[in-house]
Amino acid sequence: MPLSNTLDRVDADLAAGRVPMARQRLRGLVSSYPCDLTLRRRLAEVYRLYGDAAEAGRWMYLEEDRDADETAAFEARYQSPAWRMTALAWRGPEALAGTAVAEERLGAVRTACAERLGHAVDWDDPASYGAGGYEAHQGPDGGGRLSGVVAAIGAFLGLTVTVGVWIRGVIALFE
């Protein structure tokens, strides 16, 4: 479906109050056209309708007129440079950004990620900024492996107690 047809459908969805459908269509368009800053701006506007400042900040991150509170919310949610690279969903060289501001911001995120990981990273190779390292195990909320281990131990103990109570009940039944 051509871009203009989908944008017409987005407008119709918004006019009819179908915000989730408009958001879904725009997310698909940004995925297909990651270098189109206009689509990112439209998606940010939809997230503002939801009151989601972090997502609005995510999609306005490359814009000169971005909102400082939205940017701070985005950076708080996606604390590491690798998570920001993933969240920005950019593909291709920064030169495709179309504006000097966007190009500079993309370069800053990529450089920060490369410095933190200690090796070069590439927008077109997500494995270069996450797979196999610490960043791959750290969630966008900053949680890491420890929270996963604690949750697994808790689940194991809960299951063990439940099974123990069940077995004790069966033994008591036959006494």
Side-chain angles (χ1 to χ4, degrees):
M1 179 179 304
L3 178 63
S4 61
N5 288 350
T6 305
L7 286 174
D8 290 342
R9 287 185 175 196
V10 167
D11 292 337
D13 289 335
L14 290 172
R18 295 185 302 263
V19 178
M21 182 56 74
R23 182 193 63 184
Q24 182 178 355
R25 289 184 203 281
L26 284 167
R27 289 290 301 258
L29 286 173
V30 169
S31 177
S32 296
Y33 304 97
C35 301
D36 189 329
L37 299 181
T38 305
L39 294 174
R40 290 170 176 269
R41 178 179 290 274
R42 298 270 319 259
L43 187 53
E45 291 167 2
V46 169
Y47 275 107
R48 282 189 197 103
L49 295 174
Y50 280 107
D52 191 339
E55 289 301 305
R58 172 185 181 183
W59 299 111
M60 284 293 290
Y61 198 75
L62 304 178
E63 296 289 343
E64 186 171 1
D65 62 338
R66 67 186 184 182
D67 179 88
D69 291 335
E70 291 174 351
T71 300
F74 166 69
E75 290 175 341
R77 182 175 292 171
Y78 299 93
Q79 294 177 2
S80 76
W83 272 101
R84 287 187 194 135
M85 283 186 73
T86 301
L88 289 172
W90 187 263
R91 294 292 173 258
E94 288 122 12
L96 296 175
T99 69
V101 170
E103 188 173 340
E104 176 185 328
R105 290 190 177 146
L106 287 166
V109 171
R110 184 182 45 75
T111 300
C113 185
E115 288 174 358
R116 183 163 178 178
L117 295 176
H119 60 80
V121 295
D122 183 355
W123 288 106
D124 288 328
D125 182 14
S128 72
Y129 51 87
Y134 169 75
E135 297 289 349
H137 302 288
Q138 183 180 12
D141 62 351
R145 284 187 189 177
L146 181 60
S147 61
V149 169
V150 170
I153 290 170
F156 174 75
L157 290 176
L159 179 64
T160 302
V161 168
T162 301
V163 169
V165 168
W166 183 80
I167 290 172
R168 179 65 185 125
V170 169
I171 291 171
L173 184 67
F174 292 107
E175 288 181 347

